[in-house]
């Protein structure tokens, strides 16, 4: 676990346990136990790297040395291999230097300048690091004679730049590590620490401890913390500051003015209680007045939040797309947020991504380039700023933050709602969101995306088939069902689309699917759908809201907006105030990309066979490949004639798609031309979202009779993975009955033929 820096006075002065000795002991223990480096929680590993210089590669090298030494006469212990003093760490001038446990023998080995510094700290109290000689501070710290506090006041505002040096172990740590992640996604540069604690409803001292830890590790910086160079010791003049905001801050927005410290001595600046120096610093009246005059909480503009899932960060990390893009991707994954202030550098890196790649890498390039276009569209777009609450304010559009859904879901619902309401005026989801998470449900701020989790689940597919009377032959099997043979409705199909509950779909061949289906059914419900009769079926994505021109003319491959199913959807679902796309499927097409179809066989089988242990991102990649390639197949053969009867709706997704550049541009254009972000449209969106939610919930309930809500929740909870407490099936009811969609009718399936009880299209 992390070193308790907030108890440094007890740990160092009382017990003489410095952070270096503490982490040396931890590292020695895990080496002697021959544990993996991944056994260290993330923030603990990052602090070990900062102080000991031991990362993953260094740890592996040390373990190899430790093991190899056993073969020789003289064995080296783990203690012998570990460093004897800390590596040189970054120390900021505004940090506070405290005296540690110092004996008379310790004084004898100190130089004259070190003795003077120790006398000053002991006689005059804690000192600002910048008021002492830079080299002396480092020397005393390496000897363990002093320790450093990172003072955080109630009025401190914190900025989180792209992460550098973060260790991605993904091991659950103690309570404090969990708290660090919760606060990470909630931090913004305009909310001070006291306001943040109030929003999160967490004790102020805990929030200060967490923010202090971010600053200590270099993952965050105190906004506006720029010290007058005249007050620094001359040795600090040429020391590069860790505070990257120093050269970019607008002086009018600084939390601390340039002159705020001129009338204070270093002792007064650092004069805080001996037991809580890590989190509290004495407030200066001038600083307090300066802060209150800025009125930070009411002065900043609310933003647009673009919601993404971990699939996107996986694309950005795995592709080696740009030299410095990985640090932004790590920030998006670990912090769960990339703020507007970091987007300029993020866009610069995205611009370096080449437009074409080979094979698998092409998907990574496509997502990176489409993400860049989406950011440019949503960020400071005047067309989206017409919903401003205050008409007298200039319309410059809204800043944009990128938020990871999984990080938001780590907060409890009430806290998540408070964070979103405080900082954002509109939420926009990427499409499709992976089935492995629950979408964010929000009435205020309004959400252009899935209204409730059921709208992003298997149930919504069946709902659109039910109301339109059209769709591929589909069979939803409840958990525990066993199949002796493949049902007759899938006879003649060469490829099936299989969706294991809470996972993304994959296209697999019918030849050996039965064994894998029965294996998957032992741990989850499964939706089976016919996809292609001659290889993989052909899919086309139709963006909405629909323009008038798209609802006229004769049906063709490039004019599918007049399809009967889409007409019914427009009447039953308010597509004019949502954005997204409808995927149309032609299972009889012979013009799909056969090379891709053959290549996908092995992956589809592996995904299904691995069941609940499958990696979610791999499954979602499969679906993206299919869809993107089918679009390319359409472009290659636009002259092939087609009829309306060959096409059926496959799925409907709300949000802005990132997997296809052309589709993304069409959806973004429709958002602007139809004014979806205007206040009037958003009011209608809210009404339509509530109406759709009720209709879908009633639909689901109508097929869940005979099972209590308690049983549903119990089944949903038991089927979710222990490692994924926020999986999509938490709260979304599992099917209590086997359901079949055949010849336009959704009904209960008893294993032989459709039940005599049918549900009409009402």
């Amino acid at each position: 676990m992390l070193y308790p820096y907030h108890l440094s006075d007890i740990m160092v002065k009382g017990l003489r346990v410095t952070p270096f000795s503490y982490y040396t002991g931890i590292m020695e223990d895990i080496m002697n136990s021959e544990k993996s480096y991944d056994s260290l929680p993330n923030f603990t590993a990052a602090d070990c790297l900062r102080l000991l210089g031991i990362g993953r590669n260094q740890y592996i090298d040390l373990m190899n040395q430790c093991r190899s030494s056993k073969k020789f006469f003289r064995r080296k212990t783990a203690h012998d291999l570990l460093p004897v003093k800390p590596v040189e760490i970054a120390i900021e001038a505004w940090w506070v230097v405290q005296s540690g446990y110092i004996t008379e023998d310790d004084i004898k080995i100190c130089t004259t300048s070190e003795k003077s510094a120790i006398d000053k700290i002991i006689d005059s109290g804690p000192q600002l690091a910048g008021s002492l000689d830079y080299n002396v501070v480092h020397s005393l710290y390496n000897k363990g004679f002093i320790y450093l506090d990172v003072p955080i006041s109630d009025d401190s505002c914190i900025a989180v730049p792209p992460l550098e040096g973060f260790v991605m172990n993904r091991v659950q740590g103690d309570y404090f590590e969990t708290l660090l992640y919760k606060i990470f996604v909630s931090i913004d540069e305009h909310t001070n620490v006291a306001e943040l604690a109030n929003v999160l409803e967490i004790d102020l001292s805990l929030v200060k401890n967490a923010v202090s830890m971010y600053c200590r590790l270099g993952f965050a910086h105190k906004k506006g913390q720029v010290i007058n160079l005249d007050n620094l010791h001359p040795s600090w003049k040429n020391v590069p500051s860790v505070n990257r905001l120093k050269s970019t801050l607008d002086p009018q927005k600084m939390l601390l003015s340039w002159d705020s410290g001129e009338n204070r001595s270093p002792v007064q600046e650092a004069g805080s209680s001996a037991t809580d120096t890590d989190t509290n610093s004495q407030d200066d009246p001038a600083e307090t007045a300066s802060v209150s005059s800025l009125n930070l909480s009411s002065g900043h503009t609310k933003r647009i939040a673009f919601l993404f899932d971990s699939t996107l960060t996986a694309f950005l990390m795995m592709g080696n797309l740009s030299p410095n893009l990985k640090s932004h991707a790590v920030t998006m994954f670990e912090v769960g947020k990339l703020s507007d202030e970091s987007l300029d550098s993020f866009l610069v890196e995205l611009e370096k991504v080449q437009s074409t790649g080979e094979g698998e890498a092409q998907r990574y390039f496509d997502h990176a380039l489409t993400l860049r276009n989406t950011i440019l569209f949503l960020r400071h777009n005047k067309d989206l700023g017409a919903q401003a609450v205050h008409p007298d304010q200039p319309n410059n559009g809204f800043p944009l933050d990128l938020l990871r859904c999984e990080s938001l879901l780590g907060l409890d619902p009430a806290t998540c709602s408070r964070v979103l309401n405080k900082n954002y005026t509109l939420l926009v989801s990427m499409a499709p969101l992976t089935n492995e998470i629950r979408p964010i449900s929000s009435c205020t701020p309004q959400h252009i995306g899935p209204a409730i989790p059921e709208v992003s689940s298997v149930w919504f597919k069946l709902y659109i088939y039910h109301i339109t009377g059209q769709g591929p032959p589909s069979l939803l099997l409840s958990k525990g069902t066993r199949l002796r043979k493949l049902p007759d409705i899938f006879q003649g199909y060469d490829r099936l689309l299989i969706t294991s509950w809470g996972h993304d779909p994959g296209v697999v061949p019918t030849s050996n699917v039965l064994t894998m289906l029965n294996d998957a059914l032992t741990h989850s419900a499964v939706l089976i759908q016919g996809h292609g009769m001659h290889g993989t079926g052909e899919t086309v994505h139709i963006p909405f809201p629909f323009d008038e021109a798209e609802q006229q003319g004769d049906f063709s491959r490039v004019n599918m907006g007049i399809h009967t199913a889409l007409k019914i959807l427009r009447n039953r679902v308010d597509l004019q105030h949502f954005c997204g796309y409808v995927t149309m499927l032609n299972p009889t097409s012979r013009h799909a990309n056969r090379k891709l179809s053959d290549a996908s066989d092995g992956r589809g089988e592996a995904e299904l066979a691995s069941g609940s242990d499958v990696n979610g991102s791999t499954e979602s990649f499969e679906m993206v490949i299919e869809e993107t390639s089918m679009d390319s197949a359409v472009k290659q053969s636009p002259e092939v004639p087609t009829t309306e009867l060959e096409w059926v709706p496959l799925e409907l997704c709300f949000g802005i798609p990132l997997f296809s550049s052309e589709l993304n541009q069409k959806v973004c254009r429709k958002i602007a031309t139809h004014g979806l972000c205007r206040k009037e449209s958003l009011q209608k969106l809210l009404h339509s979202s509530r109406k759709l939610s009720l209709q879908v919930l009633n639909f689901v309930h109508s097929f869940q009779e005979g099972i209590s809500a308690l049983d549903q929740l119990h089944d949903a909870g038991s089927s979710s993975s222990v490692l994924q407490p926020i999986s999509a099936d938490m709260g979304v009811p599992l099917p209590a009955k086997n359901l079949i969609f055949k010849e336009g009718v959704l009904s209960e399936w008893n294993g032989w033929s459709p039940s005599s009880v049918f549900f009409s299209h009402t």
Side-chain angles (χ1 to χ4, degrees):
M1 58 182 289
L2 276 165
Y3 182 84
Y5 286 101
H6 59 292
L7 301 176
S8 290
D9 58 322
I10 299 174
M11 295 291 290
V12 179
K13 289 183 179 179
L15 303 176
R16 206 175 191 184
V17 178
T18 64
F20 175 76
S21 62
Y22 176 82
Y23 287 125
T24 301
I26 287 181
M27 197 62 68
E28 185 177 350
D29 288 342
I30 67 171
M31 288 180 67
N32 289 333
S33 303
E34 296 194 357
K35 291 183 179 179
S36 165
Y37 184 76
D38 291 334
S39 61
L40 288 174
N42 290 356
F43 286 96
T44 303
D47 210 14
C48 284
L49 177 62
R50 181 180 72 99
L51 292 172
L52 308 182
I54 298 177
R56 189 183 306 277
N57 293 337
Q58 292 82 3
Y59 180 79
I60 294 172
D61 184 52
L62 288 174
M63 286 300 300
N64 289 336
Q65 292 182 46
C66 191
R67 292 188 183 109
S68 62
S69 67
K70 296 178 183 179
K71 301 177 182 179
F72 299 96
F73 181 74
R74 183 180 178 278
R75 177 183 175 184
K76 288 185 178 180
T77 64
H79 182 76
D80 297 331
L81 296 172
L82 292 172
V84 295
K85 66 177 183 178
V87 298
E88 184 172 346
I89 65 170
I91 299 177
E92 282 285 272
W94 56 275
W95 292 6
V96 175
V97 178
Q98 301 266 13
S99 61
Y101 188 105
I102 304 174
T103 65
E104 291 184 6
D105 293 336
D106 294 332
I107 294 295
K108 293 177 182 178
I109 64 173
C110 291
T111 64
T112 304
S113 57
E114 290 173 350
K115 289 179 183 178
S116 300
I118 291 174
D119 289 340
K120 186 176 182 180
I121 297 171
I122 293 176
D123 296 339
S124 303
Q127 300 290 311
L128 282 178
S131 67
L132 304 174
D133 184 278
Y134 177 80
N135 295 317
V136 170
V137 172
H138 275 274
S139 176
L140 290 174
Y141 184 81
N142 288 341
K143 292 177 180 178
F145 297 164
I146 62 171
Y147 63 92
L148 299 166
D149 281 335
V150 181
I152 301 295
S153 65
D154 292 3
D155 302 318
S156 298
C157 287
I158 303 300
V160 180
L163 293 181
E164 297 288 349
F166 196 90
V167 181
M168 299 178 66
N169 279 355
R170 303 310 301 157
V171 174
Q172 294 294 324
D174 58 7
Y175 169 77
F176 190 55
E177 291 244 0
T178 305
L179 178 66
L180 287 169
Y181 274 108
K182 288 185 178 181
I183 297 177
F184 236 164
V185 74
S186 309
I187 284 180
D188 70 88
E189 297 187 16
H190 305 282
T191 303
N192 63 40
V193 171
E195 292 174 333
L196 182 62
N198 185 50
V199 170
L200 297 177
E201 293 187 350
I202 297 175
D203 186 75
L204 179 59
S205 63
L206 288 176
V207 177
K208 286 183 178 180
N209 290 340
V211 171
S212 177
M213 180 62 73
Y214 300 145
C215 294
R216 188 184 295 273
L217 296 177
F219 298 154
H221 305 301
K222 217 172 181 181
K223 186 177 179 183
Q225 183 64 42
V226 181
I227 297 178
N228 194 334
L229 297 179
D230 296 334
N231 293 340
L232 292 178
H233 190 278
S235 59
W236 288 80
K237 299 292 184 182
N238 298 322
V239 176
S241 175
V242 178
N243 191 340
R244 306 174 195 178
L245 303 174
K246 180 175 178 180
S247 60
T248 59
L249 273 177
D250 180 355
Q252 297 296 325
K253 297 180 180 178
M254 288 181 180
L255 181 63
L256 302 179
S257 65
W258 285 87
D259 302 323
S260 62
E262 288 185 351
N263 298 325
R264 300 181 67 186
S265 68
V267 180
Q268 290 174 326
E269 177 92 8
S272 51
S273 66
T275 59
D276 200 20
T277 51
D278 193 55
T279 57
N280 295 286
S281 61
Q282 203 168 29
D283 291 331
D284 181 81
E287 290 180 6
T288 306
S290 173
V291 172
S292 61
S293 65
L294 288 176
N295 196 14
L296 289 172
S297 60
S298 60
H300 78 279
T301 305
K302 285 193 175 184
R303 306 180 173 201
I304 294 176
F306 182 68
L307 306 178
F308 63 92
D309 59 35
S310 297
T311 303
L312 179 61
T313 57
F315 283 131
L316 297 179
M317 283 190 226
M318 292 170 58
N320 294 323
L321 308 176
S322 170
N324 298 317
L325 187 60
K326 188 173 182 179
S327 65
H328 291 88
V330 170
T331 305
M332 293 168 68
F333 184 80
E334 294 292 350
V335 179
K337 177 180 183 178
L338 200 62
S339 63
D340 185 79
E341 289 77 10
S342 300
L343 288 186
D344 286 331
S345 59
F346 185 48
L347 289 170
V348 169
E349 295 303 321
L350 289 175
E351 286 177 0
K352 298 177 184 177
V353 177
Q354 55 186 331
S355 57
T356 57
E358 296 181 358
E360 298 282 328
Q362 184 60 51
R363 290 173 295 157
Y364 310 147
F365 295 124
D366 290 343
H367 275 75
L369 295 172
T370 310
L371 175 61
R372 176 181 173 272
N373 294 335
T374 303
I375 292 173
L376 292 174
F377 170 74
L378 293 174
R379 189 185 185 209
H380 298 296
N381 187 337
K382 294 183 179 181
D383 292 336
L384 306 183
Q387 55 148 330
V389 178
H390 304 290
D392 55 331
Q393 292 182 349
N395 178 18
N396 297 320
F398 291 99
L400 177 71
D401 284 356
L402 308 183
L403 298 180
R404 189 170 76 102
C405 288
E406 293 92 331
S407 296
L408 288 174
L409 293 170
L411 304 172
D412 64 84
T415 301
C416 179
S417 178
R418 288 193 300 272
V419 170
L420 294 177
N421 274 288
K422 182 183 183 301
N423 297 318
Y424 302 105
T425 186
L426 178 65
L427 309 179
V428 182
S429 287
M430 67 171 276
L433 288 169
T434 175
N435 287 341
E436 300 203 356
I437 64 167
R438 287 172 57 89
I440 300 298
S441 301
S442 175
C443 292
T444 54
Q446 278 101 328
H447 179 203
I448 299 180
I452 54 174
E454 284 78 3
V455 172
S456 187
S457 71
V458 165
W459 287 112
F460 194 62
K461 273 189 173 184
L462 297 180
Y463 175 73
I464 63 174
Y465 304 158
H466 177 59
I467 62 175
T468 61
Q470 297 189 41
S474 305
L475 181 63
L476 178 60
L477 299 176
S478 60
K479 175 182 172 183
T481 304
R482 297 284 294 174
L483 290 176
R484 295 184 178 179
K485 69 171 187 175
L486 199 63
D488 294 340
I489 57 172
F490 301 118
Q491 297 300 322
Y493 278 89
D494 183 49
R495 292 291 188 275
L496 299 178
L497 184 65
I498 309 297
T499 308
S500 182
W501 199 268
H503 293 286
D504 291 332
V507 178
V508 299
T510 58
S511 55
N512 55 352
V513 72
L514 191 60
T515 302
M516 293 181 290
L517 280 175
N518 283 328
D519 181 57
L521 284 166
T522 61
H523 56 75
S524 72
V526 174
L527 176 66
I528 312 168
Q529 296 181 280
H531 196 272
M533 295 182 174
H534 312 286
T536 305
E538 180 182 355
T539 57
V540 174
H541 305 294
I542 313 299
F544 62 83
F546 293 95
D547 299 328
E548 287 295 330
E550 295 174 332
Q551 304 177 40
Q552 301 171 0
D554 297 326
F555 179 86
S556 66
R557 195 180 301 271
V558 294
N559 187 32
M560 290 193 179
I562 63 168
H563 193 284
T564 303
L566 296 183
K567 290 180 180 178
I568 297 173
L569 278 176
R570 285 197 294 269
N571 293 331
R572 300 295 300 272
V573 181
D574 180 15
L575 300 183
Q576 290 306 108
H577 297 102
F578 284 98
C579 74
Y581 62 92
V582 180
T583 301
M584 302 296 291
L585 171 69
N586 182 354
T588 62
S589 174
R590 296 176 179 269
H591 303 282
N593 191 326
R594 286 309 297 256
K595 182 179 179 181
L596 171 70
S597 173
D598 296 338
S600 69
D601 293 356
R603 271 202 314 276
E605 295 171 14
E607 288 167 11
L608 188 60
S610 58
S612 59
D613 296 328
V614 76
N615 185 315
S617 60
T618 304
E619 291 190 345
S620 62
F621 294 172
E622 171 69 18
M623 195 58 189
V624 173
I625 297 176
E626 298 290 347
E627 294 173 341
T628 306
S629 299
M630 292 310 99
D631 277 348
S632 63
V634 173
K635 296 175 187 175
Q636 294 169 2
S637 57
E639 73 284 352
V640 178
T642 186
T643 62
E644 181 176 335
L645 295 177
E646 294 176 348
W647 296 87
V648 293
L650 178 63
E651 66 177 340
L652 188 156
C653 293
F654 296 106
I656 297 181
L658 296 183
F659 59 84
S660 167
S661 178
E662 182 181 353
L663 183 63
N664 174 272
Q665 291 176 3
K666 289 180 179 178
V667 172
C668 289
R669 179 186 60 79
K670 289 174 179 289
I671 291 175
T673 56
H674 288 262
L676 295 192
C677 296
R678 298 180 185 275
K679 190 174 182 180
E680 308 78 36
S681 178
L682 289 176
Q683 288 296 328
K684 294 179 180 178
L685 170 69
L686 179 60
H687 174 75
S688 299
S689 295
R690 289 173 173 170
K691 182 179 178 181
L692 177 63
S693 299
L694 290 174
Q695 290 174 343
V696 174
L697 290 174
N698 287 335
F699 166 78
V700 173
H701 179 71
S702 68
F703 289 96
Q704 293 297 97
E705 295 174 359
I707 182 171
S708 67
L710 184 63
D711 291 336
Q712 293 175 24
L713 291 175
H714 174 74
D715 290 344
S718 62
S719 64
S720 62
S721 171
V722 175
L723 297 179
Q724 295 181 351
I726 55 172
S727 83
D729 54 9
M730 290 289 287
V732 176
L734 288 167
K737 307 172 182 177
N738 296 330
L739 302 176
I740 186 172
F741 181 79
K742 178 183 178 182
E743 297 176 354
V745 176
L746 180 65
S747 60
E748 184 178 351
W749 186 67
N750 57 19
W752 291 278
S753 61
S755 169
S756 58
V757 180
F758 296 102
F759 294 86
S760 61
H761 308 204
T762 56

